[in-house]
Amino acid sequence: MCAKRAQNYDCPVRDVLDRVGDAWSVLVILELSKGNARFNALCRVIGGISPRMLSVTLRHLERDGLVVRRVMDVKPPQVDYGLTDLGHSLHGAISALSRWAEENQPSIRDSRSAFDERETAAA
Amino acid sequence: MCAKRAQNYDCPVRDVLDRVGDAWSVLVILELSKGNARFNALCRVIGGISPRMLSVTLRHLERDGLVVRRVMDVKPPQVDYGLTDLGHSLHGAISALSRWAEENQPSIRDSRSAFDERETAAA
DNA sequence: AGTAAGTAGTTACCAACAGTAACCTAGCTT
DNA sequence: AAGCTAGGTTACTGTTGGTAACTACTTACT
């Protein structure tokens, strides 16, 4: 989050958008909504995320109270991540948006290619 | 949008999140949902946005078919921006998320300060 | 006539952060 | 003792989000 945004408003929507706007956060939430998982399991199932980004993303989500991190007291210590109630309720809101996205993706795609053609034609 | 995201998936959610995740886009959509407006009017009413950012944001939204740009044929040429039907329907989805944000902001705030205290205590 | 202010942006530039690659400690396995 | 897994951290880089300053044209004021 840039300094400007931080100082400007205490708009609640921004707080949420800062999380939701991050694609990794969304993918992690979607993945965890299916059930708890461990670090490397998430790393494998979410294509293309690096350990660092997963680490950073999880810590953000944990800070916002959307995800809980539980260190299991087993011999090679395992770490289990899961959604909180808040996380689950956000998942509901996200999936509504995600439905909108799926329904309207064709329109957006069409607009984009039409727009890009006009641009390249003009140039 | 980074190269990685672009190449990774054609996930429809990402298309939408790239727009929705941008706070300026959301503010512009919220503003235009109240009615059409012109460039400098938007610039004034949206606190802290620079002409460049407004220009960039509007062009993105136009490209995605969420906003229409109409050049009025009057003496000092004016440009009028407004939401398309698609834009209005996205506004619906956004305001659902925005309601969630408002309802749950206290929880998020609490989590954050609790988390930050734990961190600073640990350090 | 000159100048200030409004129209709708564009250009040049910079700093921050998203992201990658490489490394680390520890325990179990072969 | 080499090599696997676990769960990360550190050091570095490149893109991009963002600001400040400028353009070009009109109208209004004095």
Side-chain angles (χ1 to χ4, degrees):
Chain A
M1 181 194 269
C2 70
K4 196 71 184 191
R5 283 195 217 163
Q7 80 185 43
N8 255 353
Y9 301 99
D10 63 329
C11 172
V13 181
R14 302 237 185 159
D15 284 349
V16 174
L17 285 178
D18 281 338
R19 217 68 6 269
V20 168
D22 175 16
W24 294 132
S25 293
V26 174
L27 291 182
V28 168
I29 289 173
L30 290 177
E31 197 51 45
L32 288 180
S33 73
K34 300 175 193 164
N36 291 8
R38 291 181 320 175
F39 191 91
N40 282 344
L42 283 172
C43 220
R44 263 179 265 114
V45 81
I46 299 176
I49 196 171
S50 66
R52 170 163 139 54
M53 288 319 296
L54 181 56
S55 177
V56 167
T57 302
L58 284 171
R59 196 142 28 244
H60 281 332
L61 292 171
E62 191 193 357
R63 183 167 113 95
D64 288 358
L66 299 167
V67 155
V68 261
R69 176 195 142 108
R70 285 184 218 88
V71 181
M72 317 296 276
D73 194 16
V74 291
K75 254 325 179 59
Q78 295 179 346
V79 183
D80 190 65
Y81 291 93
L83 289 186
T84 60
D85 289 347
L86 196 62
H88 277 292
S89 91
L90 177 57
H91 172 239
I94 286 177
S95 53
L97 195 66
S98 142
R99 267 194 301 282
W100 185 94
E102 275 156 23
E103 282 166 23
N104 295 283
Q105 190 191 27
S107 314
I108 291 183
R109 293 263 156 131
D110 290 351
S111 292
R112 279 185 191 170
S113 41
F115 186 91
D116 292 346
E117 267 174 43
R118 258 177 285 141
E119 291 300 284
T120 54
Chain B
M1 182 195 271
C2 69
K4 196 70 186 191
R5 282 194 218 163
Q7 81 186 42
N8 256 352
Y9 302 99
D10 63 330
C11 171
V13 181
R14 302 238 185 159
D15 284 349
V16 174
L17 285 177
D18 281 339
R19 219 60 15 266
V20 169
D22 175 17
W24 294 131
S25 293
V26 174
L27 291 181
V28 168
I29 289 173
L30 289 176
E31 197 51 45
L32 288 180
S33 74
K34 299 174 194 166
N36 291 8
R38 292 181 325 183
F39 191 91
N40 281 346
L42 283 173
C43 219
R44 262 178 267 113
V45 82
I46 299 175
I49 196 172
S50 66
R52 168 164 137 59
M53 288 320 297
L54 182 55
S55 176
V56 168
T57 302
L58 284 170
R59 198 143 28 242
H60 282 332
L61 292 171
E62 191 193 357
R63 182 167 115 95
D64 288 358
L66 299 167
V67 155
V68 260
R69 177 195 141 107
R70 287 185 218 87
V71 180
M72 316 297 276
D73 195 16
V74 293
K75 256 322 180 59
Q78 294 180 345
V79 183
D80 191 66
Y81 292 93
L83 289 186
T84 61
D85 289 346
L86 197 62
H88 278 293
S89 91
L90 178 57
H91 172 239
I94 287 177
S95 53
L97 195 65
S98 141
R99 268 193 301 282
W100 186 93
E102 275 157 23
E103 281 167 22
N104 296 282
Q105 191 191 25
S107 314
I108 291 182
R109 292 264 155 130
D110 290 351
S111 291
R112 279 186 191 169
S113 40
F115 186 92
D116 292 348
E117 267 175 43
R118 258 175 286 142
E119 291 301 284
T120 53

